[in-house]
Amino acid sequence: MSTNNNIAQARKLVEQLRIEAGIERIKVSKAAADLMSYCDQHARSDPLLVGVPTSENPFKDKKPCIIL
Amino acid sequence: MCDQTFMAATFGPCDSCGKASPLMNIYIKSEAINYCSFCVEMMACQQLQKGETLQSLKKESDSLKKKLEEERGKLNDVELHQVAEKVEVLSSLSIKTRRVLKGHGNKVLCVDWCKDKRRLVSSSQDGKAIVWDAFTLNKVSEISLSVFYFDSNAQNGLDNKCSVVPLSLDKNENLAAKKKSVAMHTNYVSGCTFTNSDMQLLTSSGDGTCALWDVESGQLLQSFHGHTADVLSLDLAPSETGNTFVSGGCDMKANVWDMRSGQNIQSFESHESDINCVRYYPSGDAFASASDDATCRFYDLRADREVAVYQKDSVIFGASSVDFSLSGRLLFAGYNDYTINVWDVLKGTRVSILFGHENRVSRVRVSPDGTALCSASWDNTLRIWA
């Protein structure tokens, strides 16, 4: 019966919204500070960010060696 | 003493409330309904007051939505890019194409890195999946299947199934014969990933649901309902004890789910068109999404809101795929205008544009050790950038 379905759907939506409204949240300033500190901590080990010397990067072409 | 005689002819679990009690045998439009007397009364009342119940529920859901917005708004004390003003501006990156992988006969739709950081697997509309060695450009193996999308070693097809193919270093093995069908949806499978244990597979489908499967038995362990249209992408939270994942779909929503209970924990609705890809930030506290509305957005899970939008007036084509660099400072996004834009996640500005592909970029993936980016494109090639 479609009417009962509509009620069931509406009930589910209300339940879902109740759950979402009840979760704990933190301030954006705190969240942003945490994101920034994570980036900072890991920046040095990020090869695409800081670049890696050609000799260590397997993808960068090395100059061919010449055997004299 | 008096005998209490019930008019009911049967005793058993009520179809409506499930409690065992004397059932009223009634027929509605020649359909037998076995409800207990309480539920029969409830049903009769609900029909009469149908308008009222639906209305009161709608009112409650509207007021809850407003409350959600208010709660989220209260914590929006500052914007991410404002806080990020103290961070140093990034110096220009020297990322260039280092390898072009040719070999597919048609659009390359999907690519992923192997954990050994040098092998790649890609799948194409030509019906093949190729395993490449990214350092030497050798093709390690080629598998012919009706594959379209995959992640790790699982392949999805438009036959609504998801199969797992074990990859080994033995070149003589007939890999296609070892293919095992694991997931079965009622519509196309759009994305999949192994869970932390590798014993379970998580899939997303055009049927609007996500599902968790046991790889060995193929059994459905949990299903996730909540999206109101095709689910196009999913990503597993990076933590080792992680039990959550995020999914994005054509209903413009990104939902975060608890894998064990099947519960939708958080929902984000700020995109203006289909969400093509979702990807977690390396710390697991945030995720980014790419959409047909030509923007990529960044959502923080603990603040429960969108904290950044990556857009430019000059970027008008949809974004198909996103991935973070190892530290999470850079966001690589592939677009339908054949380019890859590199965004500064914290400041919200564009750092670089990577040109090279001659058709839409369908997928971008950063290698597990962060040394390179691989992009797959409709121009039949893959490119490795470093």
Side-chain angles (χ1 to χ4, degrees):
Chain A
M1 293 191 240
S2 61
T3 49
N4 279 345
N5 276 344
N6 286 343
I7 294 176
Q9 265 179 6
R11 260 200 217 118
K12 267 193 205 157
L13 184 60
V14 169
E15 271 308 309
Q16 182 59 36
L17 285 168
R18 273 204 203 122
I19 293 172
E20 285 180 29
I23 66 170
E24 275 180 36
R25 294 177 192 83
I26 62 170
K27 285 197 180 159
V28 175
S29 50
K30 169 92 174 60
D34 288 346
L35 290 170
M36 270 170 51
S37 81
Y38 186 91
C39 281
D40 196 43
Q41 272 171 23
H42 293 82
R44 259 145 296 169
S45 47
D46 187 346
L48 287 167
L49 187 63
V50 297
V52 157
T54 315
S55 51
E56 282 173 31
N57 191 331
F59 295 108
K60 288 191 177 156
D61 291 317
K62 304 173 183 69
K63 293 199 182 127
C65 299
I66 306 171
I67 302 172
L68 296 167
Chain B
M1 260 191 13
C2 59
D3 278 327
Q4 277 188 310
T5 319
F6 292 99
M7 286 294 287
T10 57
F11 183 95
C14 164
D15 280 356
S16 165
C17 64
K19 285 188 228 159
S21 48
L23 299 176
M24 311 271 288
N25 296 82
I26 49 171
Y27 287 85
I28 295 180
K29 290 187 185 161
S30 63
E31 192 195 0
I33 309 266
N34 295 319
Y35 281 4
C36 64
S37 56
F38 182 69
C39 290
V40 169
E41 278 190 31
M42 284 286 287
M43 191 173 66
C45 291
Q46 271 185 354
Q47 292 286 51
L48 284 172
Q49 294 172 345
K50 153 182 73 118
E52 219 180 297
T53 324
L54 205 53
Q55 227 180 36
S56 67
L57 282 173
K58 276 200 177 134
K59 260 194 209 163
E60 206 186 336
S61 71
D62 283 338
S63 79
L64 278 171
K65 276 187 189 157
K66 263 198 201 144
K67 185 179 172 204
L68 246 180
E69 266 181 56
E70 272 174 29
E71 291 291 318
R72 282 175 171 169
K74 274 188 215 166
L75 299 162
N76 194 22
D77 50 350
V78 72
E79 298 280 323
L80 173 62
H81 63 86
Q82 287 171 317
V83 176
E85 265 160 32
K86 340 178 208 164
V87 180
E88 275 174 38
V89 177
L90 290 173
S91 51
S92 64
L93 308 167
S94 59
I95 299 177
K96 289 195 289 210
T97 302
R98 304 289 173 179
R99 302 274 192 280
V100 180
L101 304 177
K102 294 187 185 173
H104 276 297
N106 208 323
K107 302 175 183 167
V108 187
L109 299 171
C110 194
V111 65
D112 202 9
W113 291 86
C114 188
K115 283 185 185 147
D116 67 3
K117 304 161 209 163
R118 64 183 281 174
R119 282 189 299 172
L120 286 163
V121 198
S122 62
S123 72
S124 160
Q125 206 159 293
D126 66 1
K128 295 211 179 77
I130 300 182
V131 182
W132 311 81
D133 179 320
F135 294 176
T136 61
L137 296 194
N138 285 337
K139 291 195 195 66
V140 175
S141 51
E142 215 171 275
I143 307 158
S144 282
L145 293 161
S146 60
V147 294
F148 275 78
Y149 296 96
F150 73 80
D151 199 64
S152 304
N153 296 340
Q155 284 118 354
N156 306 327
L158 281 181
D159 55 359
N160 302 351
K161 284 191 249 174
C162 185
S163 314
V164 176
V165 178
L167 292 177
S168 74
L169 295 169
D170 181 356
K171 289 185 188 151
N172 296 328
E173 257 191 289
N174 183 0
L175 294 175
K178 291 204 166 173
K179 177 173 80 129
K180 184 188 182 151
S181 184
V182 173
M184 190 72 179
H185 276 276
T186 54
N187 206 326
Y188 67 91
V189 180
S190 54
C192 70
T193 182
F194 282 101
T195 61
N196 293 329
S197 62
D198 272 5
M199 307 291 277
Q200 294 171 348
L201 191 67
L202 197 55
T203 57
S204 60
S205 167
D207 65 11
T209 69
C210 298
L212 183 66
W213 311 83
D214 177 83
V215 175
E216 197 54 48
S217 63
Q219 206 185 17
L220 173 66
L221 299 171
Q222 184 66 262
S223 69
F224 306 90
H225 297 260
H227 278 288
T228 50
D230 303 17
V231 185
L232 296 179
S233 170
L234 59 79
D235 192 29
L236 198 61
S239 109
E240 266 143 37
T241 52
N243 282 309
T244 61
F245 71 95
V246 62
S247 65
C250 293
D251 56 357
M252 308 187 278
K253 282 206 266 187
N255 290 335
V256 181
W257 309 83
D258 178 313
M259 281 206 293
R260 281 176 298 194
S261 65
Q263 179 68 46
N264 176 3
I265 325 173
Q266 284 169 282
S267 185
F268 302 91
E269 199 168 3
S270 60
H271 269 295
E272 292 158 17
S273 186
D274 300 359
I275 295 180
N276 294 316
C277 182
V278 286
R279 202 78 178 140
Y280 267 96
Y281 183 77
S283 72
D285 289 331
F287 70 93
S289 59
S291 164
D292 278 345
D293 66 6
T295 68
C296 293
R297 290 172 201 246
F298 192 42
Y299 302 86
D300 187 292
L301 293 171
R302 293 180 308 155
D304 190 36
R305 61 175 297 119
E306 173 194 284
V307 291
V309 184
Y310 308 109
Q311 63 186 348
K312 256 185 132 64
D313 289 340
S314 52
V315 179
I316 53 172
F317 283 81
S320 59
S321 174
V322 278
D323 202 4
F324 286 98
S325 69
L326 209 62
S327 66
R329 182 70 194 272
L330 300 174
L331 182 70
F332 296 95
Y335 290 77
N336 294 341
D337 64 1
Y338 317 173
T339 66
I340 298 171
N341 285 329
V342 188
W343 300 91
D344 180 329
V345 170
L346 301 176
K347 290 189 183 280
T349 54
R350 182 171 61 185
V351 178
S352 185
I353 317 177
L354 304 179
F355 294 101
H357 277 297
E358 291 160 18
N359 207 322
R360 290 194 191 187
V361 178
S362 52
R363 188 84 109 120
V364 291
R365 271 286 180 272
V366 173
S367 67
D369 58 355
T371 49
L373 172 76
C374 182
S375 57
S377 165
W378 284 16
D379 66 5
N380 304 2
T381 69
L382 293 117
R383 275 176 190 248
I384 300 190
W385 312 77

